[in-house]
Amino acid sequence: MSAPDRGSHTPHHRSEGPATGPVLLLGPSLGTSSALWGAVARELSSSFRAVRWDLPGHGGSPAAPIGPGATVADLGGLVLALADSLGAERFHYAGVSLGGAVGLWLAARHPGRVDRLAVLSSSAHFGPPAPWRERAALVRTSGTGPLAESAPARWFAPGFTAPELVGDLRRADPEAYAACCDALAVLDLREDLPSITAPTLVVVGRQDPVTPPAHAREIADAIPGAALVELPDASHLAVAERPGAVLGALRAHFAAPNPGPGMAVRRQVLGDTHVDRAQTRTTRLTARFQDVIARYAWGEIWTDPTLGLRDRSLVTLTALVAHGHLDELALHIRAARRNGLSREEIGAVLLQAGIYCGVPAANAAFAVAQRVLEEDGAA
């Protein structure tokens, strides 16, 4: 199948992080969706414009761009179309399994586009073609249901599961899934590996039965200067099983600053929606300020165990009332609810603030609190 016209199809994707940040494309494995990258993408979005994409017929992508006899080059063409639509002449790339093979193809055949590459739980060749053609035939006749039954044993180490990812496999379009199997059946990038010049990281779970560590070592040995990380107690979808370990390896490889525990506390207190929105709005002007907030306000103050999160909400509400920061007050009233404060406790804080900060300040604060609690159904 010839490579799709780059202007006609781009995969369904989700972009997180500053629109002006360096683009990091995140490719999924066969049978999953962009949800595979969820926890890792959210953290990487503090430094990158992290863009997760779906394979054809998976997640939100239509099946149409590929068909019988598809190749990894066809999938690579879709990724290039996506990069073009983002205005990214050059980009970083990380991919899992089939998504990782797409990354190898991109780095080998389009070296001017890929800055740095990470290949996770993948291979330059996925074994003899017969099993993949048999799987394609099975899916074309019976759908993906039979594969979903056995997926956890192939994807995860004992004791771990991710029903959402298995559900993605059940919902995948059978024809598109089978076309991806066709691509894997004929894939062999081993001769291309020595030509890859992008700095490359290879990550593999030591319990991976689909792409065993030997496949990862073959890639790392063939690409000049490539680094290899083997994760214990992890199987094929290590990015879902061991997101912390994968995140650490990717941060080091892509030279991303580590915000430390502050980002996790910020999300816990303010919620993912607010933090994602703040990161998406980050510009070159505000990037350093966002970094200061993450590392100092959230990474040092809010994580200090001397006071609990409830106590810190009490202090923060009082300070915001005193200075009349009403927009921030609305945000932190919601945060106080997440930290366990009741409506009555919030009211008591505002009442006491009225004694020490003045009646007008308390009057404005109560108006904000009433609106926020009504909107959240807690008034």
Side-chain angles (χ1 to χ4, degrees):
M1 180 179 178
S2 60
D5 174 14
R6 293 189 196 175
S8 61
H9 296 291
T10 56
H12 174 265
H13 58 280
R14 177 175 178 177
S15 180
E16 299 163 280
T20 57
V23 173
L24 170 58
L25 301 181
L26 301 171
S29 67
L30 177 62
T32 69
S33 74
S34 57
L36 174 64
W37 281 101
V40 173
R42 282 194 295 271
E43 296 303 316
L44 289 173
S45 67
S46 63
S47 304
F48 299 97
R49 185 181 183 187
V51 183
R52 322 179 221 163
W53 60 275
D54 285 328
L55 289 163
H58 294 63
S61 286
I66 63 171
T71 67
V72 166
D74 296 323
L75 298 175
L78 296 176
V79 174
L80 291 174
L82 172 59
D84 291 344
S85 73
L86 298 170
E89 179 61 29
R90 291 181 64 84
F91 50 84
H92 300 304
Y93 186 92
V96 179
S97 196
L98 175 54
V102 171
L104 292 172
W105 182 87
L106 289 167
R109 303 298 175 85
H110 296 270
R113 304 296 301 268
V114 181
D115 273 333
R116 300 182 77 88
L117 172 67
V119 180
L120 292 77
S121 306
S122 191
S123 180
H125 65 110
F126 285 72
W132 291 108
R133 289 172 177 153
E134 291 169 3
R135 184 186 294 195
L138 171 66
V139 170
R140 286 185 170 114
T141 58
S142 303
T144 58
L147 297 179
E149 296 300 322
S150 58
R154 296 192 307 273
W155 287 354
F156 309 122
F160 182 90
T161 189
E164 179 183 12
L165 298 179
V166 177
D168 284 336
L169 176 54
R170 292 187 185 278
R171 292 185 291 270
D173 179 86
E175 284 299 327
Y177 183 99
C180 289
C181 292
D182 292 341
L184 288 170
V186 297
L187 174 71
D188 191 343
L189 295 171
R190 285 175 288 185
E191 292 186 359
D192 294 277
L193 297 179
S195 69
I196 292 176
T197 57
T200 300
L201 170 70
V202 185
V203 179
V204 66
R206 287 182 181 159
Q207 298 184 39
D208 187 346
V210 180
T211 53
H215 288 233
R217 295 180 196 128
E218 181 178 50
I219 296 172
D221 288 344
I223 297 177
L228 173 64
V229 173
E230 295 187 19
L231 301 177
D233 304 320
S235 187
H236 188 54
L237 297 188
V239 67
E241 286 182 306
R242 301 284 307 279
V246 170
L247 178 62
L250 293 180
R251 275 201 179 119
H253 179 62
F254 291 116
N258 188 346
M263 186 58 72
V265 175
R266 187 182 185 190
R267 289 185 177 279
Q268 179 183 349
V269 174
L270 299 183
D272 285 336
T273 300
H274 170 79
V275 176
D276 289 344
R277 184 166 57 245
Q279 293 186 169
T280 299
R281 292 175 177 173
T282 300
T283 65
R284 288 187 177 90
L285 176 65
T286 64
R288 291 183 65 187
F289 178 64
Q290 289 292 325
D291 178 61
V292 167
I293 290 173
R295 289 190 291 115
Y296 292 101
W298 295 104
E300 294 193 12
I301 302 303
W302 278 85
T303 57
D304 180 353
T306 307
L307 296 177
L309 294 182
R310 279 176 52 89
D311 296 332
R312 294 194 180 280
S313 278
L314 294 172
V315 173
T316 302
L317 292 179
T318 303
L320 293 173
V321 172
H323 287 276
H325 298 312
L326 299 183
D327 289 340
E328 288 285 314
L329 178 64
L331 175 66
H332 277 277
I333 286 172
R334 291 190 173 93
R337 293 287 292 162
R338 287 191 192 88
N339 288 339
L341 270 69
S342 67
R343 176 191 60 188
E344 291 75 17
E345 288 172 319
I346 292 172
V349 171
L350 301 185
L351 184 62
Q352 181 157 340
I355 298 299
Y356 291 92
C357 302
V359 171
N363 187 49
F366 271 109
V368 170
Q370 184 69 29
R371 172 177 59 80
V372 169
L373 295 175
E374 284 179 353
E375 289 174 354
D376 294 351

